[in-house]
Amino acid sequence: LQNITIQSFDVNLTSTSTETVEVYWRTGTYDGFEASSAGWTLAGTFSVTGLGAGTLTPLNANLNIQVNAGQRIALYITTSGSANLEYTNGSGVGTVYTSNADLEIYEGLGLAHAFGSSFSPRVWNGTIIYCP
């Protein structure tokens, strides 16, 4: 693994309406921080028009979230409107879902907006846009 900078995300919105997407992150895992914004950093709030379920919608953000090689961060991406983000049911919280030479993505939770009910295990359906 190497140092990376997360620039943006493509999200999978369930509708074609204009939605507000919020991106939060924190160093470490989300354990113990699922029910409150305390301990999270709001990286940005974005207004996007969804492309519909099954089609990725770019946030076109410029987040600059620095992640050092071997460091674990938690991400919470949520909508405050009527559309939901699509997730896939996972096999186990903390299981590596996918990885490459730069990063590992773990299965986790899906949370209702904002820091509401949790659903697990979940795999986020989207793309992380980053550079080394």
Side-chain angles (χ1 to χ4, degrees), residues 20-26 29-38 40 74-81 83-89 93 107-125:
T20 300
V21 178
E22 299 167 2
V23 177
Y24 295 85
W25 75 279
R26 60 171 273 102
T29 70
Y30 61 81
D31 277 344
F33 296 90
E34 302 94 318
S36 169
S37 62
W40 293 88
L75 296 165
Y76 174 42
I77 302 170
T78 186
T79 61
S80 60
N84 292 316
L85 294 168
E86 282 201 359
Y87 287 83
T88 302
N89 289 331
V93 171
E107 294 183 23
L109 302 176
L111 294 176
H113 183 270
F115 298 93
S117 302
S118 66
F119 308 92
S120 70
R122 291 285 205 230
V123 175
W124 178 65
N125 299 152

Side-chain angles (χ1 to χ4, degrees), residues 1-121:
L1 301 178
Q2 64 179 324
N3 296 345
I4 63 169
T5 302
I6 297 174
Q7 295 296 334
S8 191
F9 298 93
D10 294 338
V11 297
N12 197 340
L13 294 169
T14 59
S15 80
T16 56
S17 60
T18 299
E19 299 293 335
T20 300
V21 178
E22 299 167 2
V23 177
Y24 295 85
W25 75 279
R26 60 171 273 102
T27 301
T29 70
Y30 61 81
D31 277 344
F33 296 90
E34 302 94 318
S36 169
S37 62
W40 293 88
T41 298
L42 177 63
T45 301
F46 308 92
S47 179
V48 297
T49 300
L51 300 177
T55 304
L56 293 174
T57 301
L59 286 187
N60 296 319
N62 189 16
L63 300 171
N64 290 317
I65 299 170
Q66 304 292 317
V67 184
N68 295 324
Q71 179 184 34
R72 186 179 274 190
I73 69 165
L75 296 165
Y76 174 42
I77 302 170
T78 186
T79 61
S80 60
S82 60
N84 292 316
L85 294 168
E86 282 201 359
Y87 287 83
T88 302
N89 289 331
S91 60
V93 171
T95 301
V96 174
Y97 171 69
T98 189
S99 65
N100 65 21
D102 301 325
L103 58 91
E104 295 177 330
I105 299 174
Y106 296 86
E107 294 183 23
L109 302 176
L111 294 176
H113 183 270
F115 298 93
S117 302
S118 66
F119 308 92
S120 70

